[in-house]
Amino acid sequence: MTEYPEKLRWKVHGERNVYDNRWVKVNLVDVEPPDGSRFEHHVVKLDHVAVALLVNEREEVLTLWRYRFAVDQWGYELIGGLVEAGEEPATTAAREAVEETGWRPIGAPEHIGTFQPLPGIIDSPVDAYLWRTAEKVGEPTDEEEAARIEWIPVDRVLDLVRRGEILGSGAIIPLLYYLASRNTGTSGSR
């Protein structure tokens, strides 16, 4: 049984928005941690994201090689995007796969999990899904998503993470989950 000691819960006394646009919302939250101090803490709220991990029969994962200006870096990412209003996250992940790569996931996905990338200051839930079968249905409809679309061997993943060539928790967490599950025989293994 998981315990939730109330004495360690932070009290929220109020919240006010200081910036809001389509992509980012920043709030100042009046909080009181267990030590009794009280201050305003920034919280960044981003949209819900869904990520697709497509693994083929050769144990290769479908990736996007792209540039991210915010961190001035090139690297591998998984396919993903913003969950639209009323859309199921798995539907988002599958839709984004077709739009970004031209590959359509086949069958029901395995929900790898839901995670928050930086929960101390950012609220941005990410749902990750695994498909083991996909079919090529065309070319990407958004040609600016990636410099190249590449199936990379899963066995290269740890080295790529170590070298900082896989960008973001939305790719790293599902990939490491997949690797760990292969080695333990739990969900996600073949």
Side-chain angles (χ1 to χ4, degrees):
M1 182 170 123
T2 303
E3 291 186 35
Y4 301 100
E6 282 301 312
K7 66 181 182 176
L8 297 179
R9 181 184 295 271
W10 288 34
K11 295 177 185 158
V12 175
H13 296 284
E15 184 171 357
R16 64 186 169 94
N17 180 258
V18 293
Y19 182 78
D20 190 356
N21 76 12
R22 165 62 191 98
W23 303 103
V24 177
K25 179 186 277 189
V26 180
N27 292 342
L28 278 175
V29 183
D30 179 3
V31 294
E32 180 182 335
D35 70 4
S37 62
R38 192 165 163 181
F39 55 90
E40 287 189 313
H41 191 291
H42 285 89
V43 174
V44 177
K45 293 184 178 271
L46 305 174
D47 284 332
H48 188 172
V49 172
V51 175
L53 171 58
L54 277 62
V55 179
N56 66 22
E57 67 280 352
R58 294 180 305 279
E59 284 292 291
E60 297 169 323
V61 60
L62 187 59
T63 63
L64 306 172
W65 174 258
R66 64 183 307 171
Y67 174 74
R68 290 296 191 176
F69 79 91
V71 292
D72 189 26
Q73 188 175 352
W74 286 90
Y76 292 100
E77 292 185 3
L78 294 180
I79 304 141
L82 303 179
V83 178
E84 295 178 2
E87 187 175 45
E88 289 297 316
T91 302
T92 300
R95 174 179 51 76
E96 291 289 337
V98 173
E99 291 174 4
E100 295 180 4
T101 70
W103 285 86
R104 179 184 12 232
I106 296 174
E110 174 186 339
H111 184 242
I112 292 173
T114 302
F115 60 92
Q116 291 277 359
L118 195 57
I121 193 167
I122 297 173
D123 179 5
S124 179
V126 178
D127 276 293
Y129 296 90
L130 168 65
W131 281 272
R132 297 174 192 284
T133 308
E135 65 181 344
K136 182 75 171 164
V137 294
E139 295 305 312
T141 57
D142 188 347
E143 296 178 12
E144 293 183 13
E145 283 292 333
R148 71 177 182 262
I149 298 162
E150 183 177 350
W151 288 94
I152 61 170
V154 172
D155 292 339
R156 287 185 55 206
V157 166
L158 281 180
D159 186 50
L160 291 170
V161 169
R162 189 178 302 111
R163 293 190 337 233
E165 291 185 43
I166 296 182
L167 302 181
S169 61
I172 294 170
I173 290 171
L175 287 166
L176 293 181
Y177 169 87
Y178 183 77
L179 285 173
S181 66
R182 284 190 336 157
N183 296 329
T184 63
T186 60
S187 177
S189 63
R190 288 190 173 256

